[in-house]
Amino acid sequence: MALLTDLSLRQALEGLSAKTFSSEELTRAHIEAIEAARPLNAYILETPEKALEMARASDARRAAGDPGALEGAPLGIKDLFCTDGVRTTAGSRILGGFTPTYESTVTTQLWRDGAVMLGKLNLDEFAMGSSNETSAFGPVVSPWRRRDDTAPLTPGGSSGGSAAAVAAGLCLGATATDTGGSIRQPAAFTGTVGIKPTYGRCSRWGVVAFASSLDQAGPIARTVEDAAILLKSMSGHDPKDSTSLDVEVPDFPSFVGRSVKGMRIGVPKEYRVDGMPAEIETLWEQGIAWLRDAGCEIVEVSLPHTRYALPAYYIVAPAEASSNLARYDGMRYGLRAEA
């Protein structure tokens, strides 16, 4: 059964479709893997009973000939997404063990397509951090180690639990959020694939807010194709979110594997900064060479406002965080201490 946790999302869906194994078998394999990997602290809350219930329902739908796009796939959910009847903490004690009576739009769409919830994944408190060390439930440890070194490594953050769980085979894919790098950076740290979509592509409704004009939900997965499959289910217009884009959702998986020959690729000269480490410069050049070898035309472009991006972020993000977190004052909302 352990081999089931080595499958990509696409491979698992193909195996389920071929009836090589059931969603219940696939889910049990992941539950066992989660139990064995608890020292990683990737999950804040495990929901094995709910997962098996959802898996059995999924197997029944497949047997009836009515499978969804993610039918039977066990996923991990970042504990920033509200889940009906399942505790949601945002990695904080401030919420006081909050159990929502509603479901976020993103997770609603995943369940609509037949996915199974294994549990809620760890994160930096209120998604503010880049190492997953600020969580009230303790830091997440990366499943990766340096060669000949047992020192624990950070999986990055804030979606550290999502990245570590995917990298360690503790779910087939995970939801995550990105305000200033919280999907892209942990994906880079753990050798997984993460996408911060265009703002408004995925609904923010039911996602605990950090900085509302920057927050965006997206997937972390093992492969580009897996990320495309998840993003297609997560995307879509939501009238409950005033910033949601009312546009058609592309068939993202259909773009995977297409040739890039003939494309014109702009390389911003401002993205090379003084003091950039030689190894990063080498990787940058390697990426350009790969595109050129694949038949792309490489063009140097200028994005002169790049230098203002980080300063602007550190004005907007803390201001919006201050506004959003003001509600957790113990009177209107959140934990109230006796003192």
Side-chain angles (χ1 to χ4, degrees):
M1 248 346 144
L3 290 176
L4 291 179
T5 61
D6 293 335
L7 298 173
S8 69
L9 174 60
R10 166 60 77 191
Q11 290 169 335
L13 290 171
E14 289 174 350
L16 288 164
S17 180
K19 296 183 170 53
T20 306
F21 44 80
S22 67
S23 177
E24 183 173 355
E25 290 172 321
L26 186 63
T27 300
R28 285 190 186 278
H30 282 89
I31 290 171
E32 291 169 8
I34 291 167
E35 291 172 349
R38 281 177 182 155
L40 296 181
N41 200 30
Y43 282 84
I44 286 176
L45 179 68
E46 298 169 23
T47 57
E49 295 84 3
K50 184 175 184 66
L52 290 171
E53 179 185 341
M54 293 176 78
R56 293 183 191 112
S58 175
D59 286 333
R61 285 192 298 272
R62 192 175 288 280
D66 188 29
L70 293 171
E71 200 63 68
L75 304 179
I77 304 300
K78 184 176 181 178
D79 202 29
L80 205 65
F81 292 80
C82 288
T83 41
D84 189 2
V86 179
R87 191 189 72 188
T88 300
T89 69
S92 178
R93 303 285 184 193
I94 292 173
L95 284 173
F98 171 56
T99 301
T101 55
Y102 55 92
E103 191 80 30
S104 79
T105 297
V106 164
T107 52
T108 296
Q109 291 171 183
L110 294 174
W111 313 149
R112 172 205 66 196
D113 288 348
V116 170
M117 182 172 73
L118 291 165
K120 305 300 288 290
L121 293 161
N122 207 342
L123 67 152
D124 282 293
E125 187 168 14
F126 286 105
M128 297 177 197
S130 55
S131 62
N132 216 143
E133 294 175 292
T134 68
S135 170
F137 300 88
V140 176
V141 179
S142 173
W144 292 95
R145 296 291 179 272
R146 296 185 187 92
R147 187 175 287 110
D148 302 321
D149 190 346
T150 59
L153 301 175
T154 173
S158 67
S159 305
S162 300
V166 172
L170 309 184
C171 55
L172 292 176
T175 65
T177 61
D178 192 316
T179 302
S182 288
I183 290 176
R184 296 160 289 167
Q185 183 248 35
F189 275 27
T190 57
T192 54
V193 178
I195 301 172
K196 180 181 184 179
T198 298
Y199 185 80
R201 173 65 77 186
C202 298
S203 172
R204 292 184 298 109
W205 196 85
V207 182
V208 179
F210 167 6
S212 300
S213 69
L214 301 170
D215 295 345
Q216 189 55 211
I220 291 182
R222 294 187 198 175
T223 69
V224 172
E225 184 177 29
D226 287 359
I229 292 168
L230 288 172
L231 183 59
K232 184 178 179 182
S233 281
M234 294 170 70
S235 299
H237 177 60
D238 179 10
K240 297 192 293 296
D241 176 0
S242 63
T243 63
S244 176
L245 295 174
D246 190 4
V247 294
E248 185 179 351
V249 177
D251 182 16
F252 295 118
S254 70
F255 295 103
V256 177
R258 286 191 190 179
S259 173
V260 295
K261 186 175 181 179
M263 287 189 176
R264 239 169 139 237
I265 307 296
V267 179
K269 63 182 182 181
E270 289 84 4
Y271 284 12
R272 282 182 160 106
V273 297
D274 292 337
M276 180 184 285
E279 62 180 316
I280 302 302
E281 180 70 29
T282 299
L283 289 169
W284 184 269
E285 288 297 335
Q286 184 183 60
I288 293 171
W290 283 340
L291 288 168
R292 188 178 284 116
D293 291 345
C296 294
E297 179 188 355
I298 304 299
V299 182
E300 183 179 78
V301 298
S302 177
L303 298 177
H305 295 101
T306 297
R307 61 182 176 146
Y308 302 117
L310 199 59
Y313 173 85
Y314 277 112
I315 293 170
V316 174
E320 293 189 2
S322 177
S323 176
N324 279 322
L325 269 65
R327 73 194 72 173
Y328 305 116
D329 58 6
M331 293 182 289
R332 289 170 294 185
Y333 201 77
L335 183 67
R336 185 178 178 89
E338 289 300 319

